[in-house]
Amino acid sequence: GRRFAAGVPSLVERACVGHRGEHRKDPKRKERKNKKKDNEEKISELLGFLKALQLEEYAAVLLDNGLYIEQLRTTTERDLKKLGIPLGPRRKICSTIAKNPQWSG
């Protein structure tokens, strides 16, 4: 490989280290942290909604399918049926979202 004079940083070292030798922060770190926080808030909101309806047992199936409150606003009973959610809970979810401004957006 190519050798550099003593004290001359390689390209990799220059990419990872600032001008004073400090490691640069990952520019995507803050973005990932914010996204994680947003997801945690969405999950918390969905869990609160389901808990209020005493339907917490359906949290896993909804989350596994990427359905949070925002998506439930446009989800139909037919969609929920395809996910294996029984008639009673499907109707409870859909009617609650339709009737309550707090959940309907």
Side-chain angles (χ1 to χ4, degrees):
R2 183 177 245 183
R3 295 188 180 223
F4 294 97
V8 177
S10 71
L11 290 175
V12 173
E13 290 171 323
R14 282 186 265 165
C16 295
V17 179
H19 70 282
R20 292 189 183 128
E22 306 121 8
H23 285 279
R24 292 183 184 159
K25 288 188 176 181
D26 178 0
K28 299 271 185 179
R29 183 173 183 228
K30 188 173 184 178
E31 185 178 318
R32 284 193 306 270
K33 189 175 180 179
N34 288 340
K35 189 173 185 179
K36 183 179 177 183
K37 186 176 179 181
D38 289 345
N39 282 342
E40 289 171 357
E41 289 173 3
K42 288 178 183 180
I43 291 169
S44 179
E45 183 182 23
L46 177 66
L47 293 176
F49 170 76
L50 293 173
K51 186 174 182 176
L53 300 178
Q54 298 179 336
L55 297 174
E56 300 101 316
E57 65 195 87
Y58 300 105
V61 72
L62 295 173
L63 292 171
D64 287 347
N65 286 280
L67 297 174
Y68 302 99
I69 293 295
E70 186 176 325
Q71 290 77 26
L72 281 179
R73 292 178 182 133
T74 58
T75 300
T76 64
E77 276 192 54
R78 186 179 201 178
D79 296 329
L80 296 176
K81 183 178 183 178
K82 289 179 185 177
L83 297 177
I85 298 176
L87 178 63
R90 285 196 314 260
R91 292 216 170 141
K92 202 171 190 181
I93 290 168
C94 290
S95 67
T96 301
I97 287 180
K99 293 177 184 175
N100 294 297
Q102 139 188 22
W103 303 115
S104 61

